[in-house]
């Protein structure tokens, strides 16, 4: 949940955690900062265990860095962390000149500053139609391990009880540092500055990590609520699964260290609810780098799409080898009301668990600012403070809270989200705030009553969350991102007793379960669903599991989502109950991703470093083909406005259903797309005679000129009596005014 002082931005942008993205982590006098030096794959002989002493990989890292140091220092003074278990690289304190020298050396894929990224459920699983796991099936889930890269975990939550659990799988190589694990939480590590020193604690002092972990794999806990709100049974998708927690928040050096350990430890799924407002080049992005090496080891990475949808951001986690998850609503919402002295009732949103504040004076702050320094010492104690937006941002609750206000009314651009505040209050849209101000200006004694939050139904759900970062994918425009949507609005799940429900340090309340929103909450729903599919199909590749989740998603092209497209919510709403039996999947292997990167213009020499194989990195120096050739379960085409267009998507379907299966195809597009598009699928029937059989088909999309900004969302659907395999097709017209980041190399 938001820290005190960040709610100013939260109410404007609903970046549920701090939305500012620091350029780098400053070290010392400011001339040096932490850089990540990415070297690609590990040497084949590297042992993924944790050897004592200095390894050969670490010697190589020190030797490389010493070649560029000329100030009398040594690599041992500079290197903070060697990545040596699952991938090859190191984090070190460098100045810009040293980083630039390293970027040009043989064997170096990329060098880039370590930024600090953003931390981007009693009802949600029921809403998705996903039943509780029967007791007899819990042991099956116990073979699956989910690695949570987040803020740590609160082990005393009932959601993480290991009652009835046997020992961890014998393949598990993880450990617990400064933490008492059990048979539910089987791994716990913490990092700082890329290091996992012995003094760090994996305990969650924020709440976010406990929330995401219990959403993915929490035990079923009855009679859960937040002071009576959202009452019911809290549970994760796979309550029998194991959890390994990596406290990484939120420097990139620490995140890459978490990936390095999680992959080598033996997790099956990585869940990371962290990201940035815009995507980066794949190999200057630690989440994309970590996910690539996870994919190589058969580990699926599920990541948040991002929370910058209201401030012009774009989906941040876009690599095709990981799942990118948008946020949507569930069929429950929390509303609050302020009743004005003239009898008018203004409805807003909040998670207000305080008692009713009756007939308190309404106060508009001097200078229109609710900043703490403006309200300090003012006559606001016991009053309801009205906080207008200021200079393009929302005023926050810190000022009224510290000034002793009885309540607060805040302006939001995200009326679909209820915030937990440290004082009685609610958020309202600008027009409703203007209505309150009109009353205030009409009387010499304006008063109001703020009620306690009530729960209501939301029959329009699922609706794409206003804050959820939309596409298009700015790195590879022909890959649709986000992939799908999952519940991310007003989700209740486990919390840490080291943090208050509002996140404000002077808020003394302590709760075991809390209600928050964000694509951070959507991501673990998909992570849990992926773990569920993995528990039933241990031999499926990450791409097969992704395909199963994407092609079985429930379409969201409803009237309630008429102002958005698949660029906002991907294939639709996660449907885990269907994902275990998709009928067909689109499988993709490492070589396919490398071919896509070659086609996109990535450097073949550096790709060979990433993969460790010259034979798979752009054979014969070829850059033939296009990124559209990747065997992805969705299809996207960016076309130039005002120009005719034609694109072909080759795809290969793999039969994972009945031995003998026949699928016919239908093309589904809204009526308004008919005049702009022609979609041809060839062949129009797929006839399988064996499980695992693969059949190639093509989807041709052509059309007349489309105006700039126009988006057409549809799908091709392979179907028979048992299955519908839905692959979204999106065509969008935009000029190339948001060019993808440069390929590889030194990122300024």
């Amino acid at each position: 949940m938001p820290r005190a002082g960040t709610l100013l931005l939260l109410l404007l942008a609903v970046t549920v955690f701090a939305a500012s993205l620091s350029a780098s982590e400053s070290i010392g006098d400011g001339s040096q900062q932490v850089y990540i030096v990415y070297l690609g794959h590990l040497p084949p002989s590297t042992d993924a265990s944790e050897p004592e002493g200095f390894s050969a990989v670490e010697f190589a890292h020190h030797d490389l860095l010493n070649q560029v140091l000329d100030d009398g220092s040594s690599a041992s003074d500079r290197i903070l962390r060697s990545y040596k278990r699952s991938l090859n690289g190191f984090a070190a304190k460098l100045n810009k000149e040293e980083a630039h020298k390293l970027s040009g050396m043989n064997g170096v894929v990329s060098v880039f500053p370590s930024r600090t990224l953003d931390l981007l459920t009693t009802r949600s699983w029921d809403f998705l139609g996903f039943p509780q796991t029967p007791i007899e099936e819990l042991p099956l889930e116990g073979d699956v391990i989910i690695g949570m890269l987040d803020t740590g975990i609160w082990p005393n939550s009932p959601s993480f009880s290991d009652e009835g659990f046997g020992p961890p799988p014998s393949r598990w190589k993880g450990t617990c540092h400064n933490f008492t694990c059990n048979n539910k939480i089987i791994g716990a590590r913490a990092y700082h500055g890329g290091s996992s020193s012995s003094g760090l604690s994996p305990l969650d002092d924020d709440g976010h990590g406990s929330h995401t972990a219990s959403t993915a794999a929490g035990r079923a806990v009855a009679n859960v609520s937040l002071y009576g709100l959202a009452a019911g049974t809290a549970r994760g998708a796979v309550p029998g699964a194991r959890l390994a927690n990596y406290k990484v928040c939120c420097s990139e050096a620490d995140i890459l260290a978490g990936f390095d350990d999680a992959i080598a430890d033996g997790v099956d799924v990585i869940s990371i609810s962290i990201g940035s407002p815009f995507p980066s080049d794949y190999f200057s992005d630690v989440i994309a780098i970590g996910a690539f090496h996870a994919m190589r080891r058969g580990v699926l990475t599920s990541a948040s799409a991002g929370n910058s949808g209201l401030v012009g951001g774009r989906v941040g986690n876009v690599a095709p080898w990981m799942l990118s998850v948008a946020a949507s609503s569930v069929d429950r919402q929390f509303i609050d009301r302020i009743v004005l002295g003239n009898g008018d009732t203004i409805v807003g949103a909040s998670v207000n668990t305080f008692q009713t504040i009756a007939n308190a004076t309404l106060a508009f702050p001097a200078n229109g600012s609710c900043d703490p320094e403006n309200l300090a010492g003012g006559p606001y104690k016991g009053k309801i403070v009205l906080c207008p937006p200021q200079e393009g941002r929302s005023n926050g609750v810190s000022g009224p809270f510290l000034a002793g206000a009885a309540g607060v009314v805040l302006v939001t651009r995200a009326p679909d989200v209820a915030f937990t505040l440290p004082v009685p209050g609610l958020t309202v849209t600008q027009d409703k705030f203007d209505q309150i101000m009109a009353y205030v200006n009409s009387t010499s004694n304006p008063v109001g009553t703020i009620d306690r939050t009530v729960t209501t139904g939301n029959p329009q759900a699922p609706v794409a969350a206003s804050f959820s970062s939309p596409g298009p994918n700015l790195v590879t425009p022909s890959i649709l991102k986000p992939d799908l949507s999952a519940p991310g609005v007003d989700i209740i799940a486990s919390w840490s007793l080291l943090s208050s429900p509002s996140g404000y340090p002077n808020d003394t309340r302590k709760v075991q379960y809390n209600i928050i929103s964000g694509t951070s909450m959507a991501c673990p729903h998909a992570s849990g669903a992926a773990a569920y599919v993995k528990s039933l199909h241990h031999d499926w590749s990450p791409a097969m599991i992704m395909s199963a989740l994407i092609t079985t998603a429930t379409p969201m092209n409803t009237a309630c989502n008429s102002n958005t497209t698949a660029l906002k919510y991907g294939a639709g709403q996660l449907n885990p109950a269907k994902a275990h039996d998709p009928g067909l999947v689109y499988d993709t292997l490492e070589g396919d991703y490398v071919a896509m990167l070659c086609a996109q213009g990535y450097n073949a020499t550096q790709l060979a470093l990433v993969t460790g194989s010259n034979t798979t990195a752009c054979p014969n120096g070829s850059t033939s083909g296009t990124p559209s050739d990747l065997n992805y379960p969705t299809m996207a085409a960016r076309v130039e406005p005002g120009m005719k267009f034609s694109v072909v998507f080759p795809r290969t379907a793999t039969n994972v259903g009945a031995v003998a299966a026949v699928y016919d195809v239908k093309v589904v597009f809204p009526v308004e797309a008919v005049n702009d598009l022609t979609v041809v699928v060839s062949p129009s029937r797929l006839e399988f005679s064996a499980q695992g059989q693969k059949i190639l088909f093509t989807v041709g999309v052509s059309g007349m000129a489309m105006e700039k900004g126009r988006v057409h969302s549809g799908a091709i659907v392979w179907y028979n009596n048992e299955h519908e395999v839905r692959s979204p097709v999106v065509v969008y017209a935009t000029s190339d005014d948001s060019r993808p980041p440069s390929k590889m190399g030194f990122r300024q």
Side-chain angles (χ1 to χ4, degrees):
M1 273 304 290
R3 305 295 94 187
T6 66
L7 194 60
L8 303 180
L9 179 58
L10 292 175
L11 293 175
L12 177 65
V14 197
T15 307
V16 176
F17 284 74
S20 60
L21 184 66
S22 63
S24 61
E25 299 172 76
S26 295
I27 296 293
D29 62 4
S31 62
Q32 295 178 356
Q33 61 191 57
V34 177
Y35 280 83
I36 293 170
V37 182
Y38 175 50
L39 305 176
H41 79 294
L42 281 170
S45 59
T46 302
D47 184 357
S49 63
E50 296 185 280
E52 295 183 4
F54 218 55
S55 70
V57 173
E58 288 174 291
F59 274 117
H61 294 168
H62 283 244
D63 180 63
L64 181 67
L65 181 55
N66 279 327
Q67 295 178 48
V68 303
L69 298 180
D70 54 12
D71 63 350
S73 64
S74 68
S76 59
D77 301 321
R78 301 287 199 90
I79 291 181
L80 302 174
R81 164 86 185 203
S82 280
Y83 307 116
K84 58 182 181 178
R85 301 189 66 204
S86 305
L87 53 96
N88 193 3
F90 58 89
K93 297 177 287 186
L94 305 172
N95 61 38
K96 186 173 291 189
E97 181 181 358
E98 292 162 345
H100 191 67
K101 287 180 181 178
L102 274 171
S103 70
M105 297 182 69
N106 289 335
V108 176
V109 177
S110 57
V111 180
F112 52 94
S114 172
R115 304 171 299 168
T116 298
L117 303 184
D118 307 333
L119 285 168
L120 286 67
T121 77
T122 56
R123 181 60 195 152
S124 56
W125 291 113
D126 290 336
F127 176 65
L128 291 175
F130 192 53
Q132 290 193 43
T133 303
I135 293 176
E136 62 271 16
E137 294 183 12
L138 289 176
L140 187 65
E141 296 176 354
D143 291 333
V144 178
I145 305 166
I146 303 177
M148 305 295 303
L149 274 61
D150 215 292
T151 67
I153 194 165
W154 182 249
N156 298 326
S157 169
S159 294
F160 307 127
S161 166
D162 69 345
E163 182 180 355
F165 275 60
S170 58
R171 60 186 169 85
W172 176 242
K173 299 178 182 179
T175 187
C176 298
H177 287 165
N178 294 326
F179 190 93
T180 301
C181 284
N182 59 23
N183 286 327
K184 175 66 174 177
I185 303 173
I186 63 173
R189 301 174 186 260
Y191 309 85
H192 181 68
S195 170
S196 54
S197 66
S198 59
L200 299 174
S201 171
L203 282 177
D204 183 7
D205 54 8
D206 183 285
H208 187 276
S210 301
H211 199 282
T212 56
S214 64
T215 300
R219 302 292 300 269
V221 182
N223 302 315
V224 161
S225 72
L226 177 62
Y227 296 109
L229 289 176
T233 297
R235 61 185 175 100
V238 279
R242 320 291 180 144
L243 287 166
N245 293 272
Y246 303 84
K247 187 176 181 178
V248 299
C249 270
C250 280
S251 83
E252 288 188 304
D254 295 341
I255 292 168
L256 196 56
F259 269 105
D260 189 35
D261 281 334
I263 299 165
D265 286 346
V267 304
D268 298 294
V269 175
I270 290 175
S271 183
I272 179 163
S273 292
I274 301 171
S276 62
F278 287 94
S280 297
D281 169 82
Y282 293 137
F283 295 117
S284 293
D285 175 348
V286 295
I287 298 178
I289 291 170
F292 185 87
H293 289 276
M295 172 273 298
R296 300 184 78 202
R297 301 284 189 91
V299 178
L300 171 65
T301 299
S302 171
S304 300
N307 294 339
S308 57
L310 287 172
V311 291
R314 287 289 182 266
V315 53
N317 290 315
V318 298
W321 46 82
M322 65 179 171
L323 190 69
S324 181
V325 189
S328 54
S329 61
V330 298
D331 59 348
R332 177 191 63 197
Q333 58 186 345
F334 304 110
I335 65 170
D336 205 349
R337 300 177 175 88
I338 180 170
V339 181
L340 306 179
N342 62 2
D344 289 349
T345 297
I346 306 297
V347 178
S350 74
V351 180
N352 175 16
T353 61
F354 299 97
Q355 296 301 312
T356 296
I357 301 299
N359 295 317
T361 299
L362 303 181
F364 188 78
N367 304 322
S369 171
C370 281
D371 290 340
E373 57 270 20
N374 188 59
L375 300 188
Y380 302 105
K381 186 175 180 62
K383 298 179 181 179
I384 296 173
V385 180
L386 309 175
C387 295
Q390 185 179 14
E391 296 180 358
R393 62 179 176 85
S394 291
N395 272 311
V397 74
S398 293
F401 179 46
L402 296 175
V408 64
V409 178
L410 302 157
V411 178
T412 181
R413 288 175 56 194
D416 52 338
V417 178
F419 291 98
T420 302
L421 305 176
V423 294
L426 67 160
T427 62
V428 298
T429 54
Q430 183 66 59
D431 60 322
K432 292 182 178 179
F433 188 82
D434 292 342
Q435 187 178 345
I436 296 172
M437 289 306 302
Y439 160 69
V440 170
N441 293 328
S442 71
T443 178
S444 60
N445 183 33
V447 296
T449 296
I450 296 180
D451 291 330
R452 197 173 186 271
T453 291
V454 297
T455 305
T456 67
N458 181 15
Q460 296 181 330
V463 177
S466 59
F467 58 79
S468 191
S469 296
N473 181 340
L474 299 184
V475 181
T476 308
S478 58
I479 301 296
L480 178 63
K481 293 288 178 172
D483 289 299
L484 48 72
S485 183
V489 178
D490 301 340
I491 304 301
I492 188 168
S494 184
W495 200 247
S496 170
L497 294 184
L498 298 179
S499 179
S500 71
S502 68
Y504 285 83
N506 292 334
D507 184 353
T508 59
R509 294 174 296 167
K510 302 297 179 185
V511 298
Q512 285 191 310
Y513 292 85
N514 197 15
I515 299 169
I516 57 175
S517 300
T519 55
S520 281
M521 285 63 257
C523 170
H525 280 87
S527 307
Y532 167 67
V533 176
K534 181 74 173 179
S535 73
L536 299 173
H537 303 285
H538 285 281
D539 58 340
W540 280 15
S541 69
M544 294 172 74
I545 296 174
M546 282 178 55
S547 175
L549 296 174
I550 292 169
T551 60
T552 59
T554 303
M556 287 176 58
N557 55 339
T558 62
C560 300
N561 286 293
S562 59
N563 62 338
T564 62
T565 68
L567 292 178
K568 180 78 168 180
Y569 49 73
Q573 180 181 255
L574 178 72
N575 190 344
K578 287 188 175 182
H580 75 284
D581 181 23
L584 304 176
V585 295
Y586 299 91
D587 196 10
T588 309
L589 302 177
E590 178 185 347
D592 302 314
Y593 295 119
V594 171
M596 184 213 77
L597 293 171
C598 291
Q600 194 166 325
Y602 278 73
N603 181 287
T605 301
Q606 290 173 310
L607 285 175
L609 293 172
V610 172
T611 63
S613 172
N614 289 320
T615 62
T616 60
C618 303
N620 303 318
S622 172
T623 57
S624 62
T626 71
S628 301
D629 296 342
L630 184 70
N631 196 41
Y632 209 69
T634 61
M635 291 156 255
R638 181 183 66 189
V639 302
E640 288 294 324
M643 303 286 288
K644 293 182 179 180
F645 59 90
S646 178
V647 61
V648 176
F649 299 94
R651 293 293 185 266
T652 299
T654 301
N655 179 28
V656 293
V659 171
V662 177
Y663 289 84
D664 292 308
V665 73
K666 57 184 176 182
V667 177
V668 182
F669 270 88
V671 174
E672 59 268 20
V674 173
N675 293 331
D676 288 340
L677 301 179
T678 299
V679 181
V680 178
V681 183
S682 179
S684 59
R685 170 171 282 200
L686 304 179
E687 299 185 18
F688 295 92
S689 57
Q691 280 192 340
Q693 182 182 352
K694 301 177 184 291
I695 297 180
L696 173 69
F697 67 93
T698 61
V699 180
V701 183
S702 59
M704 306 299 291
M706 289 171 56
E707 61 186 28
K708 185 177 181 180
R710 193 73 179 268
V711 179
H712 289 310
S713 298
I716 63 129
V717 182
W718 293 106
Y719 68 96
N720 57 25
N721 290 335
E722 288 78 33
H723 298 98
E724 281 201 354
V725 185
R726 183 176 177 273
S727 291
V729 180
V730 180
V731 182
Y732 59 101
T734 179
S735 57
D736 194 11
D737 51 6
S738 297
R739 304 185 71 85
S742 60
K743 311 296 187 294
M744 303 291 194
F746 180 61
R747 188 180 73 196
Q748 296 284 350

